[in-house]
């Protein structure tokens, strides 16, 4: 008789987590979803999943728990807080942590959970909500061989690219922070460039066409500048995400006595944008901040 598929719990049904839970369910797994938003859980149940009110309830029957929250503090609460996963998760089950966090914190959480006989896989993600829903994420994972073995069915269903980056937690987190350094710098640079082009009186749609066919292009320029062209700052990824992540980069760099002046300048741009009241808006709002400071006209913005 073929071995039954593992039961999976997904904690955090935001834009990424909902898509990941959906792709797991589409792959034939029994999936229980849990979120602080009752509406998000109800939506997942309406789509055919199961719902739970607390992480402990979600983890009770799970072989694999996928945690898709914003930061280390939320991850720790889900693990060890009141009604947390650690109260009910079976011994030898695996906790997959997808939050972006300081590698030292990932190592601490892994050590704490592994001491209870469960496995911890440090597995930050990249790719956005659409790829999450399609099961085509990039996952940057590190952990013990046992953690990888236990997590493999879920990883295969969620990822187009899975990078196995080491046999202990922290490596995945460190790789993700390098990605976030570049992503934050590239968004800030793209925002600066497109707003400077507008200040020069250039047709910024034509600027986009030219730059995306030229050496100055970046993935972030190509992906984020259309938000500026459309004047649409509905958050696909919020400004506050890069306030957090570039802040972590600063902390890591200070500890390592390593200068990161370009990342530091990008952080200031995101901080200024958040301080202007746009922290929960799309991270392309850095362009709006430049526009407002310089009196530059962008689509959809007040004259």
């Amino acid at each position: 008789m073929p071995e039954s598929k593992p039961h999976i719990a997904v904690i955090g049904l935001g834009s990424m987590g909902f898509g990941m839970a959906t792709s797991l369910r589409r792959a034939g797994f029994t999936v229980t979803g849990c979120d602080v938003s009752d509406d998000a859980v109800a939506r997942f149940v309406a789509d055919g999943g199961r719902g739970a009110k607390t992480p402990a309830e979600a983890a009770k029957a799970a072989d694999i728990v996928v945690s898709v929250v914003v930061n280390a503090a939320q991850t720790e609460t889900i693990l060890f807080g009141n009604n947390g996963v650690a109260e009910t998760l079976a011994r030898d089950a695996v906790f997959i942590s997808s939050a972006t966090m300081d590698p030292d914190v990932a190592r601490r959480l892994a050590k704490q959970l592994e001491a209870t006989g469960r496995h911890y896989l440090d597995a930050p993600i990249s790719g956005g909500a659409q790829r999450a829903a399609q099961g085509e994420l990039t996952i940057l994972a590190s952990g013990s061989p046992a953690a990888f073995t236990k997590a493999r069915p879920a990883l295969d269903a969620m990822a187009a690219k899975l990078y196995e980056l080491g046999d202990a937690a922290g490596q995945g987190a460190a790789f993700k922070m390098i990605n976030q350094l570049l992503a934050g710098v590239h968004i800030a640079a793209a925002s600066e460039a497109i707003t400077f082009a507008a200040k020069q009186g250039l047709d910024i749609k034509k600027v986009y066409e030219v730059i995306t066919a030229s050496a100055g292009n970046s993935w972030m320029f190509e992906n984020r500048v259309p938000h500026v062209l459309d004047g649409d700052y509905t958050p696909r990824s919020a400004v506050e995400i890069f306030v957090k992540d570039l802040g972590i980069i600063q902390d890591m760099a200070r500890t390592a006595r390593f200068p990161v002046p370009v990342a530091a300048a990008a952080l200031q741009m995101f901080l200024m944008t958040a301080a202007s009241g746009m922290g929960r808006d799309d991270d392309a709002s850095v362009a709006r901040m430049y526009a407002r400071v310089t009196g530059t006209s962008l689509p959809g913005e007040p004259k």
Side-chain angles (χ1 to χ4, degrees), residues 190-212 221 225-231 233 287 291 296-301:
S191 297
E192 182 173 292
I194 201 66
T195 313
F196 187 51
K199 188 68 172 179
Q200 301 303 306
L202 303 180
D203 176 347
I204 59 173
K205 288 187 177 180
K206 182 60 70 173
V207 170
Y208 179 74
E209 179 186 338
V210 170
I211 296 303
T212 54
F221 186 96
V225 169
H227 306 174
V228 179
L229 301 180
D230 294 340
Y233 298 94
T296 302
S297 179
L298 287 178
E301 287 293 286

Side-chain angles (χ1 to χ4, degrees), residues 196-272:
F196 187 51
K199 188 68 172 179
Q200 301 303 306
L202 303 180
D203 176 347
I204 59 173
K205 288 187 177 180
K206 182 60 70 173
V207 170
Y208 179 74
E209 179 186 338
V210 170
I211 296 303
T212 54
S214 302
N217 190 34
S218 69
W219 192 94
M220 284 300 187
F221 186 96
E222 194 160 338
N223 184 266
R224 297 306 203 267
V225 169
H227 306 174
V228 179
L229 301 180
D230 294 340
D232 179 6
Y233 298 94
T234 305
R236 290 79 159 180
S237 173
V239 169
E240 291 288 1
I241 296 293
F242 281 98
V243 172
K244 172 182 71 74
D245 291 355
L246 290 172
I248 293 172
I249 293 289
Q250 298 304 305
D251 293 340
M252 293 169 64
R254 184 168 55 249
T255 299
R257 296 295 186 269
F258 187 91
V260 285
V262 178
L267 172 59
Q268 294 306 311
M269 297 301 101
F270 285 102
L271 278 169
M272 199 180 306

Side-chain angles (χ1 to χ4, degrees), residues 49-61:
R50 298 182 181 184
K53 293 188 179 300
T54 67
E57 181 187 341
K60 201 167 189 177

Side-chain angles (χ1 to χ4, degrees), residues 69-244:
V69 293
V70 172
N71 56 31
Q74 289 182 3
T75 304
E76 186 162 14
T77 298
I78 284 168
L79 274 169
F80 304 115
N82 189 36
N83 287 315
V85 165
E87 293 181 12
T88 58
L89 187 63
R91 288 182 68 84
D92 209 36
V94 63
F95 181 86
I96 302 175
S97 173
S98 294
T100 301
M101 67 180 75
D102 188 308
D104 285 342
V105 178
R107 283 187 276 269
R108 175 174 61 79
L109 294 178
K111 185 177 180 181
Q112 195 172 344
L113 186 66
E114 288 166 354
T116 70
R118 286 79 160 234
H119 304 287
Y120 184 106
L121 193 71
D122 175 23
I125 54 180
S126 183
Q130 184 175 344
R131 290 187 189 175
Q134 293 167 342
E136 296 179 351
L137 288 170
T138 297
I139 299 182
L140 314 175
S142 66
S144 69
F148 270 109
T149 298
K150 285 284 180 181
R152 183 79 55 192
L155 298 172
D156 288 344
M158 295 187 294
K161 291 183 180 178
L162 170 65
Y163 291 100
E164 299 184 30
L165 301 171
D167 60 5
Q171 290 295 101
F175 271 84
K176 180 62 187 292
M177 294 319 303
I178 300 304
N179 180 77
Q180 294 306 89
L181 186 160
L182 288 164
V185 166
H186 289 169
I187 291 168
S191 297
E192 182 173 292
I194 201 66
T195 313
F196 187 51
K199 188 68 172 179
Q200 301 303 306
L202 303 180
D203 176 347
I204 59 173
K205 288 187 177 180
K206 182 60 70 173
V207 170
Y208 179 74
E209 179 186 338
V210 170
I211 296 303
T212 54
S214 302
N217 190 34
S218 69
W219 192 94
M220 284 300 187
F221 186 96
E222 194 160 338
N223 184 266
R224 297 306 203 267
V225 169
H227 306 174
V228 179
L229 301 180
D230 294 340
D232 179 6
Y233 298 94
T234 305
R236 290 79 159 180
S237 173
V239 169
E240 291 288 1
I241 296 293
F242 281 98
V243 172
K244 172 182 71 74

